[in-house]
């Protein structure tokens, strides 16, 4: 019987014979993008007639201007972030930080100036620091300072607000005060039990043979993620300039408290990259400088994507406590910096 079965299985065309599998073609985002570009090129004249509307032209100009101005700083920021992730071991910071948590907070805040990185990259860096034995207060201070007070962000702010050096100084002071205040608050009232155990486990350093690979992967991932938020922010900025009546922003100029609160909430919702948010804020011409400053201080400290990253890295219990306090502290520090350096403008 077994011989009969073996003979049947060898008959050509039998159902048991192995046949080569055909590979199915799947449409990916690249094919969709190419198709859209092809349609846009072929129907260029028709599209120009269809979208020849003053409001759309204004919106397109604002969108392109925000993206073109912010993109070089975004690329530079993600390259530096990738280099830090690949070539700067966490033990380097561990050696320079004081043992006392209160003193380490100040050093970690200033370290954010020398070791820049976007807010998306600062979360895993802070997790690595904690895993390497750095005091959580210092690691969380670095988490908030690195994306907000580094040279790339400050230069981008100066370019976005030409002739306004006080805006750069106010952003630096407000963001650094936010980072250090949150570090001292954690040193006084924070609990390790709020952080998940996996976040406290020690992480291995990047092997020398994989550093360039880690650099490329980190930079590419950060650029894709931050670039998406930049495009979204530019699109929303263009929409606000076109769809929202100018008198609505005029209300914000007359109601400073309302303007500060609205821009603070907008910073949380938009979740822009810190290398690009200054250009979006500058494009809102009718909004006074003080609400814009609060927007720039709150955004890198806490937004929806940062809350998700913190919850996934350190645990929901940590994020539920850390995020609301950070929002309040950033709002107060940004307002205080504006009153001191901008005169409440």
């Amino acid at each position: 019987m077994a011989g009969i079965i073996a003979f049947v299985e060898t008959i050509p065309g039998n159902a048991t014979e192995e046949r080569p599998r055909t590979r199915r073609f799947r449409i990916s985002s690249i094919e969709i993008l190419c198709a859209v570009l092809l349609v846009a090129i072929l129907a260029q004249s028709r599209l120009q007639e269809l979208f020849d509307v003053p409001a759309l032209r204004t919106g397109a100009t604002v969108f392109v201007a925000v993206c073109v101005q912010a993109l070089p700083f975004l690329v530079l920021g993600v390259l530096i972030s990738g280099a830090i992730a690949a070539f700067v071991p966490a033990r380097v910071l561990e050696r320079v930080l004081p043992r006392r948590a209160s003193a380490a907070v100040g050093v970690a805040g200033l370290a954010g100036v020398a070791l820049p990185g976007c807010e998306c990259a600062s979360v895993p860096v802070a997790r690595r620091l904690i895993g390497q034995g750095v005091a959580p207060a210092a690691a969380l201070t670095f988490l908030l300072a690195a994306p907000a007070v580094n040279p790339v962000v400050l230069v981008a702010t100066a370019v976005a607000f030409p002739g306004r050096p006080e805006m750069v100084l106010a952003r630096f002071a407000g963001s650094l005060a936010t980072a250090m205040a949150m570090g001292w608050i954690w040193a006084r009232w924070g609990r390790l039990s709020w952080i998940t155990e996996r976040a406290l486990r020690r992480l291995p350093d990047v092997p020398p043979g994989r550093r360039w690979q880690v650099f490329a992967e980190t930079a590419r991932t950060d650029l894709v993620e931050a670039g998406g938020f930049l495009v979204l922010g530019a699109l929303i900025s263009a929409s606000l300039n076109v769809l929202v009546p100018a008198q609505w922003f005029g209300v914000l100029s007359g109601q400073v408290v309302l303007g500060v609160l609205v821009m603070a909430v907008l910073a949380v919702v938009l979740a822009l990259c810190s290398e690009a948010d200054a250009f979006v804020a500058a494009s809102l011409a009718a909004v006074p400088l003080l609400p814009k400053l609060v927007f720039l201080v709150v955004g890198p400290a806490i937004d929806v994507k940062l809350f998700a990253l913190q919850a996934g890295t350190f645990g929901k219990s940590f994020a539920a406590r850390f995020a609301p306090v950070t929002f309040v502290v950033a709002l107060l520090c940004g307002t205080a910096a504006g009153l001191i350096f901008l005169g409440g403008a």
Side-chain angles (χ1 to χ4, degrees):
M1 187 65 181
I4 296 176
I5 294 175
F7 173 76
V8 172
E9 289 179 347
T10 58
I11 298 177
N14 192 276
T16 59
E17 182 183 2
E18 292 186 1
R19 298 177 182 178
R21 297 180 180 179
T22 58
R23 184 179 180 183
R24 295 182 179 180
F25 176 75
R26 295 182 179 180
I27 299 177
S28 65
S29 57
I30 300 297
E31 284 77 16
I32 296 176
L33 177 61
C34 293
V36 171
L37 292 177
L38 181 61
V39 171
I41 293 173
L42 296 177
Q44 183 177 5
S45 58
R46 178 61 179 168
L47 291 175
Q48 287 179 349
E49 296 177 359
L50 181 62
F51 294 105
D52 189 15
V53 181
L56 288 177
R57 289 201 301 268
T58 302
T61 301
V62 174
F63 174 80
V64 173
V66 171
C67 290
V68 170
Q69 284 183 308
L71 191 58
F73 297 98
L74 183 62
V75 172
L76 178 60
V78 299
L79 289 177
I80 295 175
S81 175
I84 292 173
F87 301 106
V88 180
R91 61 176 177 269
V92 173
L93 286 178
E94 182 185 3
R95 291 173 182 173
V96 301
L97 291 176
R99 294 294 181 183
R100 289 178 54 198
S102 57
V105 165
V107 177
L110 295 176
V113 179
L115 297 176
C118 71
E119 51 266 46
C120 299
S122 65
V123 174
V125 171
R127 182 254 186 273
R128 178 178 291 276
L129 290 175
I130 295 176
Q132 293 282 61
V134 175
L140 296 176
T141 301
F142 181 81
L143 181 151
L144 297 176
V149 300
N150 66 73
V152 178
V153 170
L154 298 180
V155 172
T157 306
V159 173
F161 293 92
R164 289 282 187 177
E166 68 274 14
M167 193 70 175
V168 180
L169 185 59
R171 181 176 191 178
F172 175 82
S175 298
L176 184 60
T178 299
M180 295 178 65
M182 287 303 300
W184 285 323
I185 289 174
W186 179 269
R188 177 64 179 84
W189 291 287
R191 299 290 182 271
L192 284 179
S193 58
W194 298 342
I195 302 177
T196 58
E197 292 184 1
R198 71 173 184 275
L200 299 175
R201 285 198 293 264
R202 187 178 181 90
L203 292 175
D205 289 334
V206 178
R210 295 191 64 250
R211 286 177 179 173
W212 285 106
Q213 180 182 356
V214 171
F215 167 75
E217 292 176 354
T218 303
R220 183 178 66 250
T221 301
D222 288 349
L223 181 61
V224 171
E225 293 181 355
F229 286 111
L230 169 60
V231 172
L232 178 60
L235 181 61
I236 294 176
S237 176
S239 302
L240 291 176
N241 278 274
V242 172
L243 301 177
V244 178
Q247 55 267 28
W248 287 21
F249 289 110
V251 173
L252 296 182
S253 63
Q255 301 288 335
V256 178
V257 176
L258 178 62
V260 166
L261 294 176
V262 170
M263 293 299 289
V265 174
L266 193 63
V268 175
V269 175
L270 290 186
L272 298 176
C273 182
S274 58
E275 284 92 359
D277 57 0
F279 299 96
V280 176
S283 67
L284 304 176
V287 178
L289 287 180
L290 179 58
K292 288 181 180 179
L293 175 63
V294 172
F295 176 86
L296 298 179
V297 173
V298 172
I302 183 62
D303 56 36
V304 289
K305 75 174 185 299
L306 276 176
F307 178 81
L309 285 171
Q310 291 173 6
T313 303
F314 300 110
K316 296 179 181 178
S317 179
F318 168 85
R321 292 174 171 86
F322 191 77
V325 178
T326 302
F327 176 81
V328 174
V329 171
L331 179 62
L332 295 177
C333 290
T335 303
L339 294 175
I340 294 173
F341 296 97
L342 303 178

